[in-house]
Amino acid sequence: MISKSIIKEFETICGKDGVMTSEVDRQNYSYDAAVLDPVVPAAVVRPGTGGEIGKIVALCNDNSIPVTVRGAGTNLSGGTIPMGNGIVLLTNRMNRIIELNDVDMYVRVEPGVVTATLAAQVASRGLFYPPDPGSQAVSTIAGNVAENAGGLRGLKYGVTKDYVMSIEFYDAMGRRVTSGSKTVKCVTGYNLAGLMTSSEGTLGIFSEITLKLIPPPQASKAMMAIYDSVEDATQTVAAIIADKIVPCTLELMDNFTINAVEDFSKAGLPRDAKALLLIEVDGHPVQVAEDGAKVEAICRKLGARHVQVAQNDAEKAKVWEARRAALSALARLKPTLVLEDATVPRSKIPAMVSAIEGLSRKYNLPIGTFGHAGDGNLHPTILTDRRDNDQWHRTERCVSDLFDAALALGGTLSGEHGIGIAKSGFLKNEVGQSSIDFSRAMKAAIDPNTILNPGKIIGC
Amino acid sequence: MSDINELAQSLKDIENQLTDCMKCGMCQAVCPVFKETGNEGDVARGKIFLLERLSDLMLTDAKGVKTRLDKCLMCGTCASNCPSGVKILEIFIKARAALTEYIGLSPVKKLIFRGMLKHPERMNALIEAASKLQGLGTSQADPELGTQCSKLLSRFIGDRHFLPLSKNPLHKTTPSLDSPVGKSGIKVAFFPGCVTDKMNPEIGLATLKVLKHHGVGVFMPKGQACCGIPALASGDRKTFDSLLDQNTALFAEMDFDYLITPCATCTATIKEIWPMMARNNSKSRSRADEWAPKTMDISQFLVDVLHVEPSGQNAGQQALSVTYHDPCHLQKSLGVSSQPRQIIRANPGCEFVEMNAAGTCCGNGGSFNLQNYDLSRSIGMKKRENILSTGASIVATSCPACMMQIRDVLSQNHDNVKVKHVIEIYADSLE
Ligand SMILES: Cc1cc2nc3c(=O)[nH]c(=O)nc-3n(C[C@H](O)[C@H](O)[C@H](O)COP(=O)(O)OP(=O)(O)OC[C@H]3O[C@@H](n4cnc5c(N)ncnc54)[C@H](O)[C@@H]3O)c2cc1C
Ligand code: SF4
Ligand code: SF4
């Protein structure tokens, strides 16, 4: 519990309507998109400025009250599940685009700006902000930075971290810290903005972020290649890259997912196909035409039984509709959906796909696999029912085995969804104890009272 | 019922629907209320979570949950965008009923629903009396739109601008009808709905004119009751059941090919909510199930069944420009959106202009408008901006409730745009 006098102080800082203490309001900030148990915070505060963030954090630090900062609450690793004696700090009042500079090609934003809103605003000025997580219609920029979110365009354009130029944040004492710059190059001091990226709210609370923008591609071409074996599909992925072509998007769907999508949207996908590759190349029109033709030829050469090249925008939209429907289609099959993002080196995708199929059989759980084949970031999606103890127990063991499989193939626990609490127990398997010790020592120095999102990433 | 365990038990009925929600939060992107408030409790994910917690007895403040549930337009935008296909409106309706059962209906609502709504004759008499008295204390708000505002009523309705109750409601000028089948060979049952009947009888008359023009026989039984959605949305199942029984008994008196309404909300209610909520194994249930596939909005009937087509003529300079607002209960609940546009185009004197975000809720939401007027108005103001930027002289729609809201936001600003039902526009083009 937080004392009445501290609640009053929060109200002085954020205004009465910026503090929520009723049972139902607090309940509503006890969960996120991860399949984990909710924890109800003691209060929820909604600052409107960086200055208010600073005051809130200072007050919490003085009273050892844990602070969990929350954007849209769509992360899949429990990063916004608070402590029962702590507060949730909501950023969605701070949702202004402060400056969009088309000459120097950057944009300065408050933390709560919604990704898609930003991308649309940038596009309307003739520029391009590439990171496009599947949740972009609701996710916030600070949430993207704090998770280093990826998206469909990661292969060619990189992920959120590749666009972070500078971050202004408040440290655990409530002091304002800036790092990075609006210049393309900057080497003044430690790369604190880099440190803040994927920090999941454990090292500082962002109040302003400057992001790099680029000119948009002038043309693009999309196609769908149909395969009778996953191996052929993944060989194609490797061959495309080996030919020095970097498609902006290179997505894979397995047979289970194809059938789920077909049941759901009757898009006319081949139910008997073992895998689909959905590919888009973009850039200068001449290069797009050339790359497109080369990719098509590679697909055919490596065993695609059919390659459908989108001839117009409508056909292109259809290609991506199938991919976008994947999660929806799988979600309808079972009450609980566990969306994983273990990632392996590209060349290991066939091994990973067959490991996943093996686990599906071993634990008798349906798993649909789709995802960013181009960068090795697959989304094995386990369909289960959390209310059924036996099924849930099998799911937990399956997830654990899945991590082992990814690590054994030289991969990583998480390509883009973060560690949070869901994977913090597995972190050691990947990075080793010394890395955890180093991180803990750093955290202890920066946040001596452990108030910034305790328990996430490196445990307690 | 007053035991929270019983409430939790009755919520178990919808437990499967609740668990379908994967808490992805994608509904935040489209919910008009969340857009205004940014509060997790105002969007489907939050409401569903609260219900889960209540049914698991992890939360005891049922009243608090009810206030969050009530802060909802029931527009279904979330449901039509939910990746998981969660039956959100069904959850909300059933949960509102369970919570109302537990908490009880407010005295005012009890009076309105059980004292009036449930008894169509009583309600008609009362409204007739009111229509005679309404000049008292009201003043004309906007002569162009014909709206009024009321100082006397402002305690209850704020400073809304509303159309006066009609002195000639449809149930008086046309109490019942059984016209013969004409050249179309089709007989329809006609359900005008309360707002058409009592405030906008011209919509009902326009519908009848159009049906006659196309040689459609009309069966309109006397003494029709409200479709029941206002009561059900307030969780009053008893009143809903009684209204449903009255209506289904009336319409069972004659065979018909289609059941037609000019009201998006009534159409969606009859088509989807009646079968969903009618008591199992009741007469009403089997009738509701039988009629659901035959129930249609008037525009859909004209286009899909009678094949009314755009006029193809160009009215040139003289053309009246008309834009269209998609009522949630037609577009999102029933997927009807092209047909009303076709019907506007069927009037050769009109030129159709699309508005931005035509499918975004107008913010009325039935009793939401009464309970959260400021929110409702600020959602409505966005609709107004989109209407005005088309430059159209008429905004048409397919739901008298949306018309009420749109009229209010336009009238508040003295905008020179007329609000009409699509069917009036088409009827105007017929001799
Ligand atoms: C349907 C769906 C699809 C998704 N698709 C993708 C995808 O394609 N790629 C991908 O990478 N992820 C994806 N995600 C995961 C998720 O959307 C991302 O992690 C996203 O970046 C989270 O943003 P948010 O605003 O919801 O952040 P939240 O969930 O609110 O927070 C995430 C983390 O950021 C921290 N944080 C938030 N704001 C701040 C701040 N101001 N300062 C410091 N820390 C902060 C929080 O404490 C938390 O640890 C998906 C999720 C869903 C539900
Ligand atoms: S979009 Fe659907 S599944 Fe996702 S949180 Fe909202 S209601 Fe739940
Ligand atoms: S029905 Fe409309 S107002 Fe209610 S939660 Fe869904 S989108 Fe929001």
Side-chain angles (χ1 to χ4, degrees):
Chain A
M1 273 308 287
I2 295 179
S3 71
K4 280 213 172 83
S5 65
I6 290 182
I7 297 288
K8 273 232 145 54
E9 290 191 55
F10 285 139
E11 287 175 350
T12 312
I13 300 169
C14 307
K16 256 200 150 56
D17 60 350
V19 182
M20 297 185 249
T21 51
S22 75
E23 187 190 9
V24 285
D25 283 331
R26 288 184 292 112
Q27 285 268 359
N28 256 323
Y29 296 94
S30 63
Y31 61 89
D32 52 33
V35 192
L36 293 167
D37 290 330
V39 180
V40 184
V44 180
V45 299
R46 281 173 97 180
T49 62
E52 290 177 14
I53 294 182
K55 287 184 193 155
I56 294 166
V57 180
L59 181 62
C60 288
N61 190 47
D62 291 344
N63 295 280
S64 296
I65 298 169
V67 182
T68 295
V69 54
R70 176 179 175 112
T74 67
N75 76 87
L76 294 158
S77 47
T80 46
I81 296 183
M83 304 290 275
N85 61 343
I87 63 162
V88 165
L89 188 153
L90 263 188
T91 62
N92 68 3
R93 259 194 191 169
M94 297 176 66
N95 60 359
R96 280 184 317 137
I97 296 177
I98 304 165
E99 180 196 0
L100 204 168
N101 188 319
D102 25 23
V103 179
D104 292 324
M105 299 214 285
Y106 66 78
V107 61
R108 278 168 59 214
V109 299
E110 290 188 334
V113 171
V114 170
T115 316
T117 309
L118 172 81
Q121 192 68 37
V122 165
S124 76
R125 296 276 286 270
L127 287 166
F128 186 32
Y129 176 70
D132 60 343
S135 51
Q136 62 174 330
V138 296
S139 71
T140 64
I141 289 296
N144 291 167
V145 174
E147 295 285 0
N148 189 15
L152 293 184
R153 302 193 183 108
L155 176 58
K156 175 167 176 182
Y157 292 103
V159 295
T160 305
K161 77 170 175 353
D162 300 304
Y163 295 85
V164 176
M165 296 174 84
S166 79
I167 296 181
E168 172 195 278
F169 62 90
Y170 284 83
D171 75 1
M173 269 56 81
R175 295 173 304 206
R176 181 171 160 274
V177 182
T178 56
S179 79
S181 135
K182 286 174 221 155
T183 54
V184 173
K185 298 178 177 177
C186 167
V187 292
T188 24
Y190 290 129
N191 180 3
L192 298 183
L195 181 64
M196 286 296 139
T197 310
S198 39
S199 63
E200 300 186 13
T202 62
L203 297 178
I205 298 182
F206 317 153
S207 50
E208 188 184 313
I209 297 164
T210 304
L211 298 163
K212 180 173 86 175
L213 304 175
I214 61 172
Q218 290 167 31
S220 66
K221 188 165 211 140
M223 64 190 88
M224 177 191 294
I226 302 167
Y227 290 87
D228 291 324
S229 93
V230 179
E231 180 86 41
D232 288 350
T234 50
Q235 293 295 353
T236 305
V237 173
I240 292 172
I241 310 283
D243 209 19
K244 312 227 166 19
I245 301 169
V246 186
C248 62
T249 311
L250 218 179
E251 296 285 305
L252 175 105
M253 265 162 69
D254 75 348
N255 176 268
F256 188 91
T257 311
I258 295 169
N259 278 290
V261 170
E262 195 49 26
D263 288 339
F264 167 59
S265 65
K266 311 265 176 300
L269 301 181
R271 284 182 181 276
D272 60 334
K274 282 284 174 295
L276 288 184
L277 284 183
L278 308 167
I279 311 167
E280 183 163 323
V281 290
D282 69 358
H284 188 276
V286 178
Q287 196 194 350
V288 167
E290 199 174 296
D291 285 354
K294 274 197 205 161
V295 170
E296 193 183 339
I298 296 173
C299 291
R300 290 191 202 283
K301 192 170 133 212
L302 288 171
R305 77 167 192 233
H306 185 65
V307 185
Q308 245 165 281
V309 182
Q311 300 302 335
N312 49 43
D313 283 353
E315 284 183 29
K316 183 166 138 191
K318 248 190 115 184
V319 169
W320 294 116
E321 221 167 83
R323 165 63 179 86
R324 266 193 298 272
L327 187 65
S328 308
L330 293 170
R332 281 158 211 249
L333 299 180
K334 281 287 198 122
T336 313
L337 171 144
V338 178
L339 180 64
E340 281 305 334
D341 70 328
T343 303
V344 294
R346 263 191 298 265
S347 59
K348 296 293 192 303
I349 288 181
M352 189 63 191
V353 171
S354 66
I356 294 167
E357 285 171 356
L359 290 174
S360 170
R361 280 191 301 273
K362 176 170 171 195
Y363 291 107
N364 190 20
L365 291 165
I367 305 182
T369 300
F370 60 95
H372 323 305
D375 47 34
N377 180 193
L378 295 176
H379 290 307
T381 304
I382 307 172
L383 307 178
T384 174
D385 187 345
R386 202 172 180 218
R387 295 166 300 175
D388 175 342
N389 279 338
D390 167 56
Q391 251 187 81
W392 189 243
H393 187 59
R394 277 186 278 132
T395 307
E396 288 179 322
R397 280 169 45 213
C398 180
V399 168
S400 168
D401 281 11
L402 191 74
F403 293 155
D404 288 346
L407 293 181
L409 293 167
T412 175
L413 294 174
S414 173
E416 56 180 19
H417 294 166
I419 299 300
I421 22 190
K423 296 180 190 171
S424 67
F426 299 94
L427 190 64
K428 191 174 151 198
N429 302 351
E430 177 171 344
V431 301
Q433 190 59 41
S434 62
S435 162
I436 292 180
D437 290 343
F438 181 87
S439 305
R440 283 187 179 160
M442 182 179 74
K443 165 89 173 160
I446 293 174
D447 179 14
N449 294 328
T450 327
I451 62 155
L452 295 176
N453 213 6
K456 312 296 153 34
I457 311 181
I458 49 173
C460 292
Chain B
M1 183 170 29
S2 60
D3 181 356
I4 190 113
N5 289 302
E6 282 178 40
L7 170 63
Q9 200 48 46
S10 70
L11 288 172
K12 292 278 172 214
D13 278 354
I14 49 172
E15 194 197 77
N16 281 335
Q17 275 107 313
L18 292 175
T19 34
D20 280 340
C21 169
M22 56 178 172
K23 309 293 174 306
C24 67
M26 296 308 284
C27 38
Q28 290 178 2
V30 295
C31 173
V33 179
F34 181 80
K35 235 171 234 163
E36 297 294 320
T37 67
N39 193 323
E40 195 77 62
D42 294 336
V43 74
R45 171 167 83 163
K47 292 177 161 78
I48 290 173
F49 178 77
L50 292 177
L51 291 170
E52 277 177 0
R53 296 291 270 181
L54 206 51
S55 89
D56 290 343
L57 292 171
M58 298 299 286
L59 168 65
T60 50
D61 181 9
K63 273 200 174 133
V65 175
K66 177 125 193 323
T67 58
R68 298 308 181 281
L69 269 188
D70 285 346
K71 205 165 157 193
C72 169
L73 293 156
M74 298 295 276
C75 64
T77 317
C78 48
S80 65
N81 285 281
C82 169
S84 208
V86 179
K87 299 202 176 66
I88 301 174
L89 290 186
E90 181 172 342
I91 290 176
F92 289 172
I93 284 181
K94 291 188 169 164
R96 283 178 178 202
L99 281 161
T100 304
E101 186 94 343
Y102 173 70
I103 296 167
L105 205 59
S106 75
V108 178
K109 284 190 173 168
K110 211 177 231 163
L111 182 73
I112 297 177
F113 296 143
R114 302 202 173 150
M116 282 170 55
L117 197 62
K118 208 164 154 180
H119 309 284
E121 336 73 59
R122 218 189 274 176
M123 171 136 141
N124 286 339
L126 210 87
I127 285 190
E128 184 174 346
S131 80
K132 291 192 179 126
L133 287 174
Q134 65 189 343
L136 296 173
T138 57
S139 54
Q140 202 163 37
D142 187 307
E144 196 60 41
L145 286 156
T147 48
Q148 298 187 339
C149 58
S150 167
K151 293 244 157 20
L152 276 182
L153 289 175
S154 69
R155 253 189 67 210
F156 305 103
I157 61 171
D159 54 354
R160 286 176 180 72
H161 291 187
F162 53 90
L163 273 188
L165 286 165
S166 174
K167 295 222 160 56
N168 299 303
L170 196 68
H171 68 263
K172 265 189 111 181
T173 57
T174 321
S176 69
L177 203 63
D178 178 14
S179 62
V181 172
K183 61 177 186 233
S184 71
I186 294 171
K187 181 96 178 188
V188 300
F190 182 48
F191 185 92
C194 299
V195 187
T196 299
D197 177 39
K198 293 166 188 48
M199 294 179 87
N200 306 101
E202 65 281 0
I203 298 174
L205 295 173
T207 312
L208 292 174
K209 175 180 171 187
V210 169
L211 292 172
K212 191 169 174 196
H213 171 86
H214 286 281
V216 176
V218 178
F219 161 50
M220 192 176 134
K222 187 172 174 202
Q224 295 186 26
C226 164
C227 70
I229 197 68
L232 195 58
S234 294
D236 184 359
R237 235 192 127 142
K238 275 204 189 95
T239 301
F240 172 81
D241 286 341
S242 147
L243 294 167
L244 179 64
D245 291 345
Q246 293 181 49
N247 279 324
T248 50
L250 284 178
F251 280 95
E253 283 167 14
M254 199 176 281
D255 283 340
F256 50 84
D257 302 306
Y258 297 96
L259 199 164
I260 302 300
T261 99
C263 171
T265 303
C266 295
T267 312
T269 303
I270 297 173
K271 216 172 159 64
E272 300 199 316
I273 313 280
W274 282 12
M276 179 172 109
M277 297 303 286
R279 290 174 309 262
N280 281 337
N281 305 319
S282 65
K283 255 193 203 146
S284 290
R285 175 56 177 271
S286 58
R287 288 168 177 162
D289 284 344
E290 183 196 331
W291 296 339
K294 296 189 193 179
T295 303
M296 272 189 198
D297 154 72
I298 180 70
S299 298
Q300 188 187 12
F301 173 69
L302 292 175
V303 173
D304 294 0
V305 179
L306 297 181
H307 307 294
V308 171
E309 290 187 342
S311 71
Q313 290 171 32
N314 191 343
Q317 298 285 307
Q318 309 289 309
L320 273 175
S321 67
V322 182
T323 188
Y324 179 72
H325 158 73
D326 282 295
C328 297
H329 294 150
L330 259 201
Q331 189 215 29
K332 289 168 206 96
S333 304
L334 304 175
V336 172
S337 63
S338 67
Q339 296 90 331
R341 289 172 170 79
Q342 289 246 42
I343 291 301
I344 294 171
R345 290 196 168 100
N347 180 330
C350 290
E351 184 183 298
F352 177 69
V353 271
E354 193 62 63
M355 73 168 91
N356 251 339
T360 302
C361 181
C362 66
N364 177 288
S367 58
F368 176 87
N369 171 279
L370 294 174
Q371 287 164 0
N372 304 282
Y373 185 48
D374 290 341
L375 254 177
S376 171
R377 191 195 314 216
S378 68
I379 297 170
M381 284 301 166
K382 294 199 174 123
K383 186 52 62 176
R384 169 182 173 255
E385 282 161 30
N386 286 322
I387 294 170
L388 294 186
S389 58
T390 61
S393 52
I394 298 177
V395 51
T397 186
S398 303
C399 184
C402 300
M403 290 171 71
M404 234 195 282
Q405 167 82 347
I406 292 173
R407 231 177 232 127
D408 183 25
V409 290
L410 292 175
S411 174
Q412 298 279 355
N413 297 282
H414 303 286
D415 299 318
N416 194 9
V417 182
K418 286 208 168 60
V419 184
K420 287 199 162 192
H421 193 287
V422 167
I423 198 67
E424 295 180 83
I425 292 181
Y426 179 55
D428 284 347
S429 73
L430 305 176
E431 277 317 306

